[in-house]
Amino acid sequence: MPDSLFPESLKKLGLHRWIDLALHFPLRYENESQVWSIDQVSPGQFAQIQVQVVSARIVFRPRRTLLVEVSDKTGTAVLRFLHFKDAQKNAYVPGHKIRVLGESRRSLAGLEFIHPRTRSGWLSLDQLGQQPLLPVYPTTAGVSQLMLRRAIARALVSALPSEWLPHKILAAHRLMPLDQAMRLIHQPPADAESTGVMRQLMDREGPAWDRIRFDELLAQQVAMRRARGLRETERAAPLGADRLASQIIAGLRFQLTAAQRRTWTEISRDLQGTTPMQRLLQGDVGSGKTVIAALAAAQAIGSGLQVAVMAPTEILAEQLFEKFCEWFGPFHVDVGLLKSGLGAKQRRELLMSISTGGLPIVVGTHALIQKGVTFSNLGLVVVDEQHRFGVGQRLALRSPVDGRMPHLLSMSATPIPRSLAMTYLADLDVSILDERPPNRQPITTKLMASARRDELVEKLTDFIAHGGQAYWVCPVIESDAEEPLQAIETAEAWLAPIFQEQLVVLHGRMGAEEKRLAMQDFSQGRRRLMLSTTVIEVGVDVPRATLMVIEHSERFGLAQLHQLRGRIGRGAGQSTCILLFDEPLSDVAKERLKTLYETDDGFEVARRDLAIRGPGEVLGLRQSGIPTLRYSDLQLHAAWVEQAIEFGAKWVDRQAGQASESGGVSIEALDALVDRWAFDKKDVLASG
Ligand code: ADP
Ligand code: MG
């Protein structure tokens, strides 16, 4: 079927081609061939009941709601509608017979259906037996199930892909043929219920789903391997090992840890190659990634090339700038900071020295990738806290100059789980800093109900009087009448009289210069209590600060709390993090706070975060640029992932060796596979 006939309205769902429709699988199925009596329905079950309307009324508290009471011989149930037009109420006439289809739940009032579908009239026994199993597709407002069902049924006729795997492989791996798997999932046969197939489909398990996942994971692998192959044809300037790096190491106030030395060796070796490096340096907060970036920069400068260092916030850029100045200053290497709020003349001069190549290192935020910034001979790009950037932003600096691509070093504190790393690795090298600098005391974490805030302030007064430095973190700047939270405003009004000139405030609504001064006052110890929002979450490094109070810690995610807490425990002093919380705590919040209480090891925190939220959420996979999997989960389906890696390696790499076919799979078949799943090259290349 030609694309010109493709229903325009479906594009809202991100569906653009007939094959996209064929791969748009149902969330669940509705079985209208069965009717339940009210007393048989258990909460959480999807059920159809045939009932009579008892009453229909609109209530206004706590919000406008249409409540329809219905009953059958065995009991009563309530239908609850939150979005409705007044006229809808008139459709429910007391005494009328209706069918109700939906998911039930138990409420104080008894059995309840929220936004069920209702039909007028009952089905006869004969009719009941003939109702098909209906797929229910993910959709958004404005695209009806009916329309989707029709369009998908059409796609299954015209766009069902033919089998591309050789017979031998299908048999050896007991894979269901592709067309059969797709048909089964979209249109289960009437007997699916009795054969147990329905159960499998509902759970997204069994041979049909295995086959879909095989294809999806393989498509991802093939796309990533090819991207890697492409990258290997790119050329970069080899950056020879240079004295400058060794000199910087010799000048440090500390010894590199073994992990730092190891990762530095890996990076230094990559930089000497003629293939552009694309390496992720992964290490928990405080593990000392910055100095490694500086060493890489030194190697680039030694070869006469420029370095761009990009950070997600101005505060962090400022800090990196200061660190780099400290380390490079003694060797008379200039470092520039491209920030907002520069005077026109200053900015012009800075841009000029970047474009002439006179400035070897430039630190900045995404201002670095704006128009008007051109490098004369960029050799290395460093992206700090890389997960904070969008794909396009990370990619922007990675464009060739005179046919040569700069090397790329990205850094992140968010660990990638092993299974994910395996796919990620198809296009990215990873170095891991798994050791903390010595003399670090573990952070003590305490949980405290916010009612005890006053008590805490007494202790804090004492702590500050004895020369301590602390952070006090609030979730919001202003409080909101609907949802009263401890806000910067209120906390400031309360803390300022107590701490007077010791207090400094920092939040995202302040101007860049104001922020810079606040940060400077605090990091140089002139002010000793910093009241701030989560703007300090990323990268801020003030080793003398050893106490942190986090208001409403129940509001934050696990990774975020860990990052915040990572602002302390950076020096030799014993650090304490106090998590204030408001009761009642949800189960998830309890789980999060318990995790933080029990461990301050970032990898362990990440592991539990994954267990609570899943990798897609944790890593923000969309933004991370890892081609997103729709039906496979790298952890849940790890066995299929390994298969895909194995086949991917065999097929793609052999083809790279010019064979037009390998193992009976043609290049065209792999092209079509990648295309079907729309793993486009740009996404893949951006994964670094
Ligand atoms: P992150 O990995 O979170 O970016 P940083 O690079 O900011 O960590 O390092 C945290 C702190 O540890 C900094 O003050 C840094 O100077 C210091 N540091 C880094 N490496 C070492 C080391 N080997 N020994 C002692 N201190 C170190
Ligand atoms: Mg850092």
Side-chain angles (χ1 to χ4, degrees), residues 289-290 316 384-385 539:
K289 296 184 285 293
T290 318
L316 186 50
D384 198 9
E385 308 289 346

Side-chain angles (χ1 to χ4, degrees), residues 254-257 260 283-291 323 327 384-385 433 437-438 440 539 541 543 567 570:
F254 48 78
Q255 295 254 306
L256 294 182
T257 62
Q260 281 171 322
D284 198 2
V285 285
S287 58
K289 296 184 285 293
T290 318
V291 68
K323 276 272 157 73
W327 290 327
D384 198 9
E385 308 289 346
L433 274 179
R440 293 280 165 87
D541 182 34
R567 298 311 113 215
R570 299 191 147 240

